[in-house]
Amino acid sequence: MPTTPEQEKTRVAAARKAFIAEGFDLVADTYDEVNGEFFRATAARLVQHAGLRPGDRVLDLGCGRGAVLFAAAQAVGPDGYAAGLDLSPGMVQATGAEIASRALRNVVVRVGDAEDPGYPAASFEAVLAGLMLFITPDPEAALSAAHHILTPGGRFATSSFGTTDPRWSRPLDAALSFLDEPLPPSSPRQGARGGHPAFDSVESIGKLFESCGFTEVRTVTETTSEVLASGDAWWRSLWSTGRRAWLSRIPADRLPAAKAAALAELEALREGGELRRESELRYTVATRA
C-alpha cells in the first residue's frame, strides 16, 4: 500500500532525528573536551543575548553536553531553574553525570524532542536553542512548541551559523568522497551551511519566527576567529562532532586515504603560515507576545 505524502514526511523526519541522535551518541564522551572552548564561548554569548534574569525558568533545547545549560543555570541563579532536552541518550547521560558531580539541585536533563518538549503552557520565561534549531527536521514545529510553553513576554533565543567561506567545506567533502554511497537523505546537510533553508538569511529567520507567533525578532551577527593548531587537530575535532556519523561510514581500508585527501585540501587553506577559520554566528532573540 503506497504511503501518503504526510506519512512519507513523518518517516523522513523520524529517520533524520535518528541519524542526529546516532551521531551525537558517538561523540558524547569527547564532544565537550575537543571543541569545548568554542561551544562555551558561543553559549555565553547566547545567554547574554537572551537577557536571562535571576529566578527565571529556562529550557535548553538540544542541550548536548551542557554548554548553554550550565551558562543559563549560572545566569538564573539558585532561585531559578534550568532544564535541558536532547535527542541523544548519550549526551543526556554524560550531562546528567556532570550535573550530579557539580551537585546542582536546580538543573535537570532528559531525552526529548524539541518539536514536542512535553511541558504545559507557560512553563518557562525563556527557551534557548544553541546551534541546533537549523538542523531540526521541522524548526517551525519546534518554535510553535516553544511559543506554547513560554510565559507571555517570554523570550526565545537561538544561535545559528551565518555566511561561511565555501572553501572550508572542501576538506570534509574530500573525506566524504570515499564513502561507498552518498549521505542518506536523513543526514542534516540540506540547505546552505548544512541546515534548514529558513536559516539562510537574517530576513528568512525573521519570517520564520513571525510565522510562529513571535514578535520583536532581532538577529545580531558576530564573527569568531580560530587558529587551528594542526591538520591532525582539525581531524580529531571533526571526529568529535555530529559529523562523525558521516565519517564512520567510510570503509576502514579507505580511511587513511580519506584523511590524507582531507588534510591536503586543508593545507591549501593555509595563509601566512596559519590555518585561520572565521565563523559568522547569528544570535536571534524573539518575544512571545
Side-chain angles (χ1 to χ4, degrees), residues 151-259:
T151 57
R155 290 93 60 212
F156 187 102
T158 188
S159 52
S160 57
F161 289 107
T163 303
T164 58
D165 185 339
R167 297 179 304 161
W168 279 91
S169 67
R170 294 174 187 169
L172 176 59
D173 289 341
L176 296 180
S177 69
F178 287 81
L179 286 166
D180 280 333
E181 299 177 359
L183 290 173
S186 55
S187 168
R189 204 170 182 193
Q190 298 95 328
R193 293 170 301 284
H196 194 282
F199 290 86
D200 283 354
S201 70
V202 172
E203 292 75 20
S204 58
I205 292 173
K207 290 179 181 178
L208 172 65
F209 274 73
E210 289 168 0
S211 72
C212 296
F214 286 93
T215 62
E216 302 176 28
V217 184
R218 176 178 58 90
T219 296
V220 175
T221 300
E222 300 178 1
T223 300
T224 64
S225 183
E226 175 189 14
V227 176
L228 305 181
S230 66
D232 281 335
W234 170 83
W235 184 251
R236 288 195 301 273
S237 171
L238 205 62
W239 280 81
S240 291
T241 68
R243 297 179 182 89
R244 184 168 181 164
W246 306 337
L247 296 169
S248 62
R249 285 167 162 74
I250 299 173
D253 61 335
R254 297 183 191 173
L255 202 52
K259 177 183 177 181

Side-chain angles (χ1 to χ4, degrees), residues 53-98:
R53 301 175 293 250
D56 276 350
R57 298 165 296 170
V58 183
L59 176 63
D60 178 22
L61 303 175
C63 65
R65 285 300 307 273
V68 172
L69 183 66
F70 293 125
Q74 184 174 12
V76 302
D79 293 329
Y81 175 79
L85 205 66
D86 202 283
L87 282 172
S88 164
M91 287 290 195
V92 168
Q93 182 177 6
T95 303
E98 186 166 354

Side-chain angles (χ1 to χ4, degrees), residues 17 61 85-87 110-118 132 136-137 142 145:
K17 291 175 185 178
L61 303 175
L85 205 66
D86 202 283
L87 282 172
R110 66 176 175 82
V111 176
D113 188 340
E115 295 176 16
D116 185 15
M132 62 74 61
T136 60

Side-chain angles (χ1 to χ4, degrees), residues 259-281:
K259 177 183 177 181
L263 294 188
E265 289 289 347
L266 187 69
E267 281 301 312
L269 300 176
R270 190 180 292 276
E271 296 179 355
E274 287 185 334
L275 284 169
R276 181 179 294 275
R277 178 173 56 192
E278 292 192 345
S279 301
E280 190 176 274
L281 275 296

